[in-house]
Amino acid sequence: MSLPPGYRALFEAAGPVIRYRLLRDVIGEDDSYIRTAHLGLDLKKLPEVQRIFAAQKPDGSWGDVAATVWNFLRLCELGLESCAAIESCIENHVLPTLLSGQNLPTRDIALHLITRSRRESNPLLKTMLEQLLAKWEHFLSSDPTHQLHHPPPTNDGYSAMCFYPWPEDDLPRVHQVVTKLFNYAETRIDTPTIPSSFQLHNKFEYARCPQRIIHDLELSSRLGITRELVATRWMFEELEAMQDGDGWFRLEHESDEHLQWYFPLEPENDP
């Protein structure tokens, strides 16, 4: 399968990660295609990937929760959702954590990691996510006093909801609850929250770090609700405004933070 004209310039300018994910995730050429498989092998040779592999602990984790989440999700973003390091982390660390009956936010983190890497239907995961939906419904429908003394929905729980491949029959309920979640979050912009809780940022923060827009839009688009929500519809329009006539997005940002979802073009094309 040849590349459509609109993707050729990006493919030629991009590094191995973008090339691999462009072929696999956008064009639809999985690892059964020779050129996709070759690019997949190249990913494992990247210095960053080798450092992540070397830092993994015997129990499948990368030490504490924050380091484990960061390295696990980074491998997924690099296109390595099925590598041995991910499988080891799930089997030896994430699943035992999930099945141990721990409460928020640990359970939600485990759900996020599994749904992000596997993205397949699973009766156990579906049951757990339905239970999470029920908890969200109760929380979002309760009075402020109750909400003040109970843990709110988490970012990880929301991510798990978005990555799970819901059957068509279940989507209306998921959309309804998520809409309530966004309405709840919109009333709390600029209000201090629990670090793990689901939150939306103010427009200045999104403009300062547009990678947040891309991340939030990726999640909402997986549920098919980007155009239905005021917040994500604004993000989509903001992203469109950043696009030039050639279709490229040149993101300017004032943040010195590590760009967690950024993969550089080849050096000669990076500017």
Side-chain angles (χ1 to χ4, degrees):
M1 183 188 298
S2 60
L3 284 172
Y7 295 123
R8 288 174 190 164
L10 176 59
F11 187 83
E12 292 169 0
V17 175
I18 293 180
R19 288 185 176 185
Y20 177 76
R21 294 199 59 184
L22 182 62
L23 289 180
R24 188 194 68 178
D25 301 334
V26 179
I27 305 302
E29 293 187 5
D30 61 22
D31 288 333
S32 65
Y33 289 79
I34 293 176
R35 63 176 174 177
T36 308
H38 282 175
L39 283 171
L41 292 174
D42 290 341
L43 297 183
K44 297 179 181 179
K45 301 174 185 177
L46 294 174
E48 179 184 3
V49 173
Q50 288 296 312
R51 288 194 295 270
I52 294 175
F53 285 167
Q56 190 172 26
K57 307 296 183 184
D59 67 352
S61 74
W62 278 270
D64 60 26
V65 173
T68 297
V69 170
W70 162 255
N71 286 289
F72 188 105
L73 293 179
R74 186 60 177 169
L75 287 176
C76 290
E77 292 299 324
L78 291 167
L80 294 168
E81 297 97 327
S82 300
C83 70
I86 291 290
E87 292 302 316
S88 173
C89 186
I90 289 176
E91 296 298 331
N92 299 315
H93 187 72
V94 178
L95 275 178
T97 299
L98 182 63
L99 298 175
S100 67
Q102 296 191 52
N103 295 320
L104 296 172
T106 307
R107 178 203 58 195
D108 289 4
I109 291 173
L111 286 170
H112 178 193
L113 297 185
I114 294 175
T115 54
R116 173 62 184 87
S117 60
R118 296 196 167 170
R119 302 195 200 178
E120 59 188 19
S121 299
N122 179 284
L124 175 61
L125 289 179
K126 186 171 184 291
T127 298
M128 289 187 165
L129 288 171
E130 287 173 340
Q131 292 172 348
L132 190 58
L133 271 179
K135 288 181 179 294
W136 287 5
E137 285 179 311
H138 179 67
F139 178 88
L140 296 169
S141 301
S142 60
D143 59 71
T145 303
H146 174 91
Q147 293 176 350
L148 188 64
H149 296 92
H150 290 81
T154 67
N155 279 314
D156 286 292
Y158 171 66
S159 296
M161 278 310 162
C162 295
F163 279 116
Y164 187 76
W166 291 97
E168 288 292 331
D169 291 345
D170 293 317
L171 282 175
R173 182 191 176 201
V174 176
H175 289 178
Q176 182 182 45
V177 177
V178 169
T179 298
K180 292 180 180 178
L181 175 62
F182 270 76
N183 292 338
Y184 167 82
E186 286 173 0
T187 65
R188 285 156 178 76
I189 292 175
D190 293 328
T191 301
T193 59
I194 300 172
S196 63
S197 64
F198 175 79
Q199 59 183 310
L200 294 169
H201 303 278
N202 61 46
K203 291 186 176 181
F204 172 78
E205 181 63 22
Y206 280 116
R208 188 181 73 90
C209 189
Q211 288 73 22
R212 293 187 187 277
I213 293 179
I214 295 173
H215 176 251
D216 287 0
L217 284 178
E218 178 186 0
L219 292 177
S220 67
S221 66
R222 290 187 179 280
L223 281 182
I225 56 174
T226 298
R227 295 288 193 179
E228 298 177 14
L229 303 173
V230 174
T232 51
R233 188 166 60 245
W234 171 84
M235 293 179 205
F236 191 81
E237 293 168 354
E238 189 72 10
L239 189 63
E240 284 184 315
M242 300 176 192
Q243 189 177 29
D244 65 21
D246 296 323
W248 291 80
F249 294 93
R250 306 184 188 279
L251 306 181
E252 299 179 3
H253 59 91
E254 301 174 11
S255 172
D256 292 328
E257 299 172 4
H258 179 63
L259 302 183
Q260 298 181 13
W261 300 282
Y262 173 69
F263 305 108
L265 304 178
E266 294 293 355
E268 64 270 21
N269 295 310
D270 203 22

